Amino acid sequence: MILSLYIARKFFIPFIFSVFSLFSIFILQFLMRFSEQLIGKGIDTILIIQLIIYNLAWMMVLVVPMSVLVATLMAFGGLAQNNEITAIRAAGLSLYKLTVIPFILAGGLVWFLIYFNNEVLPDANHKTKNLMWEITATRPALSIIPNVFMTDITGYAILAEKVTQDSNKLLNVKIYDNSRNGVVNILTAKRGDLNFNEDRSKLLMNLYEGEIHEQGADNYYRKLKFSKHMLLMNSEQFSLKKITSDYRSDRELSIAELDLRADSLRKVFEEHVQIMKRLALPFFYGDSAGSSVPSMFAGDVGSEQWAMRLEGRVQQQLNTIETTLAAQDYLISQVYAYRVEVDKKYSIPAACVVFLLLGIPLAMMTRRGGFGAAASISLFFFLLYWSFLIGGEKLADRGLVSPFIGMWAANFILAASGAYLFFRSVRDNTMIDLSFLQRFLPKKFRKEEDDVQDS
């Protein structure tokens, strides 16, 4: 019992340290990513704080499994480094018993993350989306990133060299206007501002000190200079209806809601299959399908009119088939997307157990309990795991593999590797030399690791 509590303490303290460290890294990354769009733009500080809090949800889902691996490497690496593993072997105690408490803790984390993914994360993602729409609707120019074309507005591509501090003022603006068929307008201006009209039905852009280059059919070209020009654009994508909408994407749904949508799409898919059978099969396989081909005015068989009618009927059926097949492909892709999200809500929490199973033998083989060694090893396996996960999601979304395989392949591969290494480390007391990693560590951590090795 005392040994179990000791192992739990050795695991729990590095885990808490890793959680706070990784959260700090993710929050810093988030602030760096959105600093130009949010900070110093006149947005209420409360809104920015709310946005950070809502984004903590997806960070939690990633941080917990990552922290399990770091904590496992530090805990069991420290035990091996201090020869405590050797002492336990000498006392005749089973090394398998050492892992009971960590696996119980990892199982609790799996349960917590599944509940979190199902109950908390969807609402947080939904609130994040709505809050971003609210911020964007308040200041539409936030959608414009300096020196990057903004194509959110249908028929327009907008480029601004600089967005000023009040976030609605633009400098050195260039606009490609393709809103009118056959006419392409290129507008340039030294400065401009972007706002809504009174009923928020249109985006109003005022441009100052610029030119309009208009090009149309038959080599038509016209150049106009202006001191002020007003441009009205459709503001549907900034509509407040989207801000208050209850519609949720796949990442904003619980498991039950995802299953419900997937089942409803399957029913629609079956309806399309029946449409295909009812319309296409009787035409091409009349007698064998139990229904004859519709009458083609047999009295004028062989005439030009009959041939044209037959050609029209065939083309109609081909169009029906193409439309139905396209609809079926879309429905299947949507079902796969929902199933991917369902499996993801289970597979990422399960990574807590997988990383524990992998981390224990790696820690005992490397015999390094410092944060530097743990961080280096963890980083490699984090990248490997997320590469498998993202690649599997892409393949599953395209229908190349099943959602289950796409989302669980990384867990299966790493779990099998961990089980092999675990049994080998228990039986052979194998050691892995990681001295070559020293050159990749910061000098502070490198010194600590060298001191430990010398001792």
Side-chain angles (χ1 to χ4, degrees), residues 263-292:
D263 290 340
S264 64
L265 288 177
R266 289 192 187 97
K267 292 179 181 178
V268 176
F269 177 81
E270 291 299 327
E271 292 176 0
H272 280 77
V273 172
Q274 296 303 319
I275 291 175
M276 176 75 78
K277 291 180 179 179
R278 186 174 66 252
L279 296 180
L281 295 182
F283 183 84
F284 289 104
Y285 305 99
D287 294 335
S288 63
S291 176
S292 60

Side-chain angles (χ1 to χ4, degrees), residues 54 138 217 275 306 353 370 374 405:
Y54 292 151
T138 303
I275 291 175
W306 180 87
V353 175
I405 295 298

Side-chain angles (χ1 to χ4, degrees), residues 107-125:
L109 291 174
V110 170
W111 177 86
F112 165 75
L113 282 183
I114 291 176
Y115 174 83
F116 188 88
N117 283 345
N118 192 44
E119 301 294 337
V120 179
L121 182 62
D123 288 336
N125 288 340

